[in-house]
Amino acid sequence: MNAQPGVRPGIFDFERDFAGSLHCIPMSVRLKLDCCGVKLSLKQWNRLPSEERHRLLELPCDSAQTCASFRQDVVGMVEARTGATPKALPIEADPAWDADSRIPGQLSAYLQALRLPPLTAAQWRGLGRLQRYALLKLSRPGHANHNFIPALREFALLRS
């Protein structure tokens, strides 16, 4: 992640063009939403004022207490701005991004489909939680994942 002027903390370089302005939901906020069980549409996100989007980027969501607080905050913001409650998502009991001991099959299959070398166990373990989450989101089947290769480069998993 970048700490350059004009680029907010919590935003990867590969998402700077579309998430740097907080017009799109950054991976760090998407992770928080998944962890607290909230499905937020892009339309709902963009109805939030910029200061509220920045607040969601900066709020912690790394324990049961902070996750509950984050959920309450985001639901309250969306209800106040749109009059609708965001949809609930099931919360994964053992999400793949939290398991640094095993490389998810989805990611391995995606790398293979792109004819890229597989990740080693050491590479996967060396990634942070948010990096693992980003790679999993960017390797989902059926999605145009234009930022997968840039993410691999940013995470030093692929040479240019």
Side-chain angles (χ1 to χ4, degrees):
M1 275 189 243
N2 205 320
Q4 294 177 2
V7 178
R8 301 206 49 96
I11 297 176
F12 290 116
D13 286 346
F14 71 80
E15 60 184 349
R16 182 178 1 174
D17 289 345
F18 58 92
S21 64
L22 295 183
H23 176 70
C24 292
I25 305 171
M27 286 287 177
S28 59
V29 174
R30 291 174 63 186
L31 173 59
K32 294 173 192 181
L33 293 167
D34 282 358
C35 289
C36 74
V38 173
K39 171 71 173 158
L40 190 63
S41 71
L42 184 57
K43 184 177 180 179
Q44 289 170 323
W45 172 258
N46 282 309
R47 295 277 307 269
L48 300 177
S50 178
E51 60 272 2
E52 289 180 356
R53 286 181 266 162
H54 287 287
R55 183 165 178 243
L56 292 174
L57 182 65
E58 295 165 0
L59 282 173
C61 186
D62 53 7
S63 69
Q65 184 178 358
T66 59
C67 192
S69 179
F70 183 87
R71 178 183 176 80
Q72 183 178 5
D73 286 347
V74 72
V75 168
M77 288 175 188
V78 171
E79 287 176 345
R81 300 298 176 188
T82 69
T85 301
K87 292 180 182 176
L89 280 177
I91 299 172
E92 290 187 50
D94 186 23
W97 58 81
D98 278 343
D100 67 357
S101 61
R102 64 183 185 280
I103 301 167
Q106 167 194 312
L107 180 57
S108 295
Y110 196 73
L111 286 163
Q112 185 176 18
L114 295 177
R115 294 189 166 95
L116 293 171
L119 294 185
T120 66
Q123 286 174 313
W124 183 249
R125 271 192 313 275
L127 295 172
R129 181 180 195 228
L130 181 57
Q131 291 172 314
R132 291 191 302 267
Y133 175 84
L135 289 178
L136 286 167
K137 287 297 182 182
L138 293 171
S139 65
R140 290 178 299 167
H143 293 273
N145 300 316
H146 304 292
N147 286 309
F148 185 76
I149 300 293
L152 288 176
R153 287 188 180 119
E154 182 174 344
F155 304 161
L157 299 172
L158 183 65
R159 294 186 182 184
S160 299

